[in-house]
Amino acid sequence: PAPPSTLSWRRVPSSTGPVPRSRHGHRAVAIRELVIIFGGGNEGIADELHVYNTATNQWFLPAVRGDIPPGCAAHGFVCDGTRILVFGGMVEYGRYSSDLYELQASRWLWKKIKPQPPSVGSPPCPRLGHSFSLYGNKCYLFGGLANESEDSNNNIPRYLNDFYELELQHGSGVVGWSIPMTKGNLPSPRESHTAIVYCRKDLGNPKMYIFGGMCGCRLNDLWELDIETMTWSRPETKGMVPLPRSLHTANVIGNKMYVFGGWVPQTVEDEISARDGEWKCTSSFSYLNLDTTEWIGLISDCQEDKKNLLPGPRAGHCAVAVGTRLYIWSGRDGYRKAWNNQVCCKDLWYLDTEKPPAPSQVQLIRATTNSFQVKWDEVPTVEGYLLQLNANSPAPTVTGGTVVPETALLSSQVNIFHTAGPQTSANVAELLDLDIRTVNPDASVSSTVSSTQTMVTQQAVKTESSSTNGAVVKDETSLTTFSSKSEVDETTFIMPSTKVSIGQTNNSTVHLSKTTPLRQMATVKTRERQWYDVGIFKSNSALVSQYYLLPEEKSSISNKVENADVPDYSLLKKQDLFPGTVYRFRVAAINGCGVGPFSKVSEFKTCIPGFPGAPSTVRITKSVDCIHLSWEPPVSPSGNILEYSAYLAIRTTQVHENPNQLVFMKIYCGLKTSCIVTAAQLSNAHVDYTSRPAIVFRISAKNERGYGPATQVRWLQGKNPAKL
């Protein structure tokens, strides 16, 4: 992690959509890039469910239905796949709940659950401020605060340290509560503590850690529960233990538990006040290395922040991890002795805790004689992508045989694109892998596949035609080889001190924050290969027609800004792409911690003038005993189209040097822009599992010069691939 001096907190700019009112005592979970927030209080207890899309910076208020729970605060809130469980909490002042609700986020359907009581003992009593943690198919409930009085207006608090286990059913529903038999001393009673579960990779031994809380005074003790043996213990820690606190947050990212904010005792010259009434909100930030149990302080309680570059002091906020990024929203600020002056924070912050992972290999959407339209899979929570190409690659030797490499020369692609328009229920369902629609290769007009299966990752190859249907396709060029090893970036990373504008995509300039570490322009030579920057792009696609050349005598062109080298593309010459030339591509993601590792290398070839382009707008329609495959003619036919050929990837028992290579069978040849694929043909189809299970088709067009590159379509399959 970055040392305290270089922590790169970012305040999220104004979001679109129905932004929820500020609050405290709410809870949040993440489903992929969606942050789902429920409950909390501020001038009344909130009962709305709000969704924040971290990819688009949009808020969304889903239309929930079913057994909608009442508003609650300081409740338990966990996520298991796409279902969310809510337990307990305060439903009104002095009245607490022991109800359990389940939300199926894929349908925004609430359901009240009635778990079986324990075989021995009583079920959990109504409470607030408890911890509710998920591991495997079980939730673990610990502690909280109960009201001993039957009169909600006459609150008699009772701190709890009871421990329950809730077994879940697969997909939906629960089995019931149980009270595990534990060893060792239980943690002392408390509420407003945190609990996380961590499983060390090399040991596979899950453990739950409880930290802090409130029991008449604030606590900073750490407790460990070995979930396999159900043994409680107090682990010995190293480093500076955070101040006692309650209403803080704790989140696990990697092997670290990040603790932020909360109520802490007021300190006078580094000594904690003896009187419990002297306490305040804090913005201190630490993490516990869960492998070494060492505390590391990142932001101290007394650290000045005159430029407002850090989240302000708060308690009762929510924090959630999306990938390796930590988000913090709202919460309460102020001193307890000045209730009337307390306010709820309205700001949303995030912190990247480590560099982003390598993106997927660059894929080709469309190739022309002098350009490529390329894309790669999105990396969650990044600020941009650095795309590079290598123009010094010699063309591989042409090989014959009956095998067509799956990663052969590409020319067009169908994929799923999420627009940045207003969020709707359908948009959110898409992000949860439900009811996903397709777009055509031009990435402009949406088209629908009649089945719920979807066409994605469409690629293309140059193929040699065959005179009869059912013939196995021979690869004509074998131009593409995807490296199995990632290239190593040998450049250094530096910290510019000013905002820079570099690279463009779709006429939209990418502005990287002044605290984003950028590296010098890469001039890495790997195996005598020179890599050149295409640019830095905001989205995960790019139109590549040029790249930036570097002077031979310099490895970078820079503006000198306070000892920082900031790339300035305006000072570099551009080189156009050439027809019929092989180019190698790699891409790296960028976040607040810098540039991550590069992807594996992809290799494409620009088209040769005179040959037809690839067919476009491929559609698949499923019938009872067959599927209907249709397409549009190439955008650039370069003459008259004489015929089309369609191919299906089939299973084979042949042994090849590259097990990822596919064998294709011709299933159609003719002038029509559609064909029928029978159930008998599909029964012999190869199901590709390189990403999601899919059946692979290729379609190519022929003019007077011959066949052009083929469009490849991956038809996503469900649980029973290739069954109609």
Side-chain angles (χ1 to χ4, degrees), residues 147 238 289 296 347 392 417 504 582:
N147 185 0
K238 295 172 285 187
N289 185 315
I296 302 293
D347 47 356
N392 296 339
F417 291 82
Q504 290 187 337
V582 175

Side-chain angles (χ1 to χ4, degrees), residues 29 31 36 49 77-86 101-105 108 110:
V29 295
I31 302 179
I36 300 174
L49 189 78
F77 201 56
V78 298
C79 180
D80 176 31
T82 57
R83 70 167 164 176
I84 296 170
L85 293 171
V86 180
Y101 289 87
E102 176 187 87
L103 172 69
Q104 291 289 343
W108 304 122
W110 282 106

Side-chain angles (χ1 to χ4, degrees), residues 78-360:
V78 298
C79 180
D80 176 31
T82 57
R83 70 167 164 176
I84 296 170
L85 293 171
V86 180
F87 174 76
M90 182 174 69
V91 292
E92 62 182 50
Y93 180 76
R95 189 165 71 88
Y96 309 151
S97 169
S98 60
D99 293 333
L100 179 68
Y101 289 87
E102 176 187 87
L103 172 69
Q104 291 289 343
S106 59
R107 294 174 288 160
W108 304 122
L109 178 64
W110 282 106
K111 182 179 180 181
K112 188 173 184 179
I113 305 293
K114 295 183 178 180
Q116 293 292 324
S119 58
V120 178
S122 302
C125 65
R127 66 189 66 202
L128 61 72
H130 49 282
S131 59
F132 198 48
S133 308
L134 174 74
Y135 182 77
N137 68 330
K138 294 179 180 178
C139 289
Y140 298 96
L141 169 68
F142 176 80
L145 181 69
N147 185 0
E148 290 284 80
S149 173
E150 296 181 359
D151 181 6
S152 60
N153 294 320
N154 182 24
N155 197 354
I156 303 175
R158 177 168 65 96
Y159 294 98
L160 305 171
N161 68 339
D162 49 358
F163 181 58
Y164 287 87
E165 185 179 85
L166 177 66
E167 185 177 352
L168 310 183
Q169 293 178 343
H170 179 70
S172 178
V174 300
V175 176
W177 294 105
S178 63
I179 303 176
M181 295 294 293
T182 61
K183 305 171 188 175
N185 294 325
L186 277 169
S188 59
R190 66 193 65 205
E191 57 101 0
S192 298
H193 55 281
T194 55
I196 60 94
V197 177
Y198 172 68
C199 186
R200 187 166 170 172
K201 291 183 179 179
D202 56 347
L203 297 179
N205 189 16
K207 295 181 179 180
M208 183 169 74
Y209 292 89
I210 289 177
F211 175 70
M214 172 71 173
C215 183
C217 62
R218 270 146 198 92
L219 306 169
N220 65 345
D221 50 347
L222 180 71
W223 291 82
E224 175 186 289
L225 173 69
D226 187 313
I227 293 178
E228 289 186 351
T229 64
M230 282 293 160
T231 302
W232 289 101
S233 63
R234 287 281 307 272
E236 292 185 5
T237 62
K238 295 172 285 187
M240 181 72 72
V241 179
L243 288 174
R245 65 191 62 215
S246 63
L247 289 171
H248 54 286
T249 53
N251 301 84
V252 176
I253 300 177
N255 67 339
K256 299 174 180 64
M257 178 178 78
Y258 290 90
V259 175
F260 177 83
W263 289 112
V264 297
Q266 183 71 280
T267 59
V268 180
E269 296 181 355
D270 296 330
E271 291 188 6
I272 298 176
S273 172
R275 292 179 299 164
D276 184 59
E278 297 294 330
W279 42 274
K280 64 176 183 178
C281 282
T282 182
S283 59
S284 58
F285 185 47
S286 306
Y287 74 76
L288 175 70
N289 185 315
L290 296 168
D291 293 335
T292 63
T293 61
E294 180 179 8
W295 285 104
I296 302 293
L298 298 173
I299 300 175
S300 67
D301 187 63
C302 58
Q303 184 168 329
E304 292 187 359
D305 181 30
K306 295 181 179 179
K307 295 183 179 180
N308 295 321
L309 299 178
L310 302 172
R314 67 194 68 206
H317 53 284
C318 70
V320 63
V322 180
T324 59
R325 177 176 286 182
L326 181 67
Y327 282 87
I328 289 175
W329 181 71
S330 200
R332 184 174 64 187
D333 182 19
Y335 290 89
R336 185 172 187 245
K337 61 184 179 182
W339 285 101
N340 295 333
N341 295 330
Q342 288 183 345
V343 296
C344 283
C345 308
K346 300 178 181 179
D347 47 356
L348 173 65
W349 293 78
Y350 70 81
L351 173 72
D352 288 312
T353 60
E354 59 186 60
K355 292 177 183 178
S360 66

Side-chain angles (χ1 to χ4, degrees), residues 271-545:
E271 291 188 6
I272 298 176
S273 172
R275 292 179 299 164
D276 184 59
E278 297 294 330
W279 42 274
K280 64 176 183 178
C281 282
T282 182
S283 59
S284 58
F285 185 47
S286 306
Y287 74 76
L288 175 70
N289 185 315
L290 296 168
D291 293 335
T292 63
T293 61
E294 180 179 8
W295 285 104
I296 302 293
L298 298 173
I299 300 175
S300 67
D301 187 63
C302 58
Q303 184 168 329
E304 292 187 359
D305 181 30
K306 295 181 179 179
K307 295 183 179 180
N308 295 321
L309 299 178
L310 302 172
R314 67 194 68 206
H317 53 284
C318 70
V320 63
V322 180
T324 59
R325 177 176 286 182
L326 181 67
Y327 282 87
I328 289 175
W329 181 71
S330 200
R332 184 174 64 187
D333 182 19
Y335 290 89
R336 185 172 187 245
K337 61 184 179 182
W339 285 101
N340 295 333
N341 295 330
Q342 288 183 345
V343 296
C344 283
C345 308
K346 300 178 181 179
D347 47 356
L348 173 65
W349 293 78
Y350 70 81
L351 173 72
D352 288 312
T353 60
E354 59 186 60
K355 292 177 183 178
S360 66
Q361 289 174 294
V362 178
Q363 305 163 30
L364 193 65
I365 298 174
R366 185 178 302 282
T368 68
T369 56
N370 57 5
S371 70
F372 297 110
Q373 181 75 37
V374 296
K375 72 169 293 292
W376 49 91
D377 292 346
E378 287 185 348
V379 178
T381 63
V382 298
E383 298 177 359
Y385 301 91
L386 170 64
L387 181 65
Q388 292 184 334
L389 64 75
N390 169 261
N392 296 339
S393 174
T397 305
V398 175
T399 59
T402 60
V403 178
V404 177
E406 162 65 5
T407 53
L409 181 63
L410 311 182
S411 176
S412 64
Q413 170 167 315
V414 170
N415 215 309
I416 299 170
F417 291 82
H418 299 301
T419 63
Q423 289 285 5
T424 65
S425 295
N427 294 145
V428 177
E430 284 188 8
L431 295 173
L432 300 176
D433 273 348
L434 301 164
D435 271 336
I436 300 176
R437 308 266 179 175
T438 64
V439 295
N440 64 23
D442 295 325
S444 57
V445 181
S446 179
S447 60
T448 303
V449 179
S450 62
S451 72
T452 57
Q453 294 156 326
T454 312
M455 300 182 293
V456 299
T457 315
Q458 176 178 313
Q459 304 168 338
V461 296
K462 287 270 292 183
T463 55
E464 182 181 21
S465 65
S466 181
S467 58
T468 59
N469 288 351
V472 175
V473 179
K474 183 175 71 175
D475 181 20
E476 187 178 31
T477 55
S478 295
L479 286 177
T480 302
T481 56
F482 280 40
S483 170
S484 61
K485 297 181 180 179
S486 297
E487 304 288 350
V488 179
D489 183 9
E490 300 170 0
T491 57
T492 58
F493 297 93
I494 48 90
M495 183 79 71
S497 58
T498 183
K499 181 175 286 188
V500 293
S501 173
I502 46 181
Q504 290 187 337
T505 176
N506 299 328
N507 298 320
S508 177
T509 301
V510 180
H511 295 281
L512 295 180
S513 168
K514 63 183 178 181
T515 53
T516 300
L518 294 175
R519 52 95 187 95
Q520 295 173 334
M521 289 200 60
T523 58
V524 182
K525 288 188 177 181
T526 305
R527 303 187 193 94
E528 301 303 320
R529 298 184 188 277
Q530 181 90 24
W531 288 98
Y532 298 93
D533 285 6
V534 177
I536 295 178
F537 298 87
K538 179 71 174 177
S539 66
N540 63 324
S541 63
L543 176 62
V544 182
S545 59

Side-chain angles (χ1 to χ4, degrees), residues 680-703:
Q681 291 172 323
L682 284 174
S683 66
N684 196 36
H686 166 78
V687 179
D688 177 48
Y689 289 94
T690 53
S691 54
R692 297 168 63 185
I695 293 175
V696 182
F697 295 97
R698 287 177 179 168
I699 307 162
S700 58
K702 181 181 179 181
N703 65 7

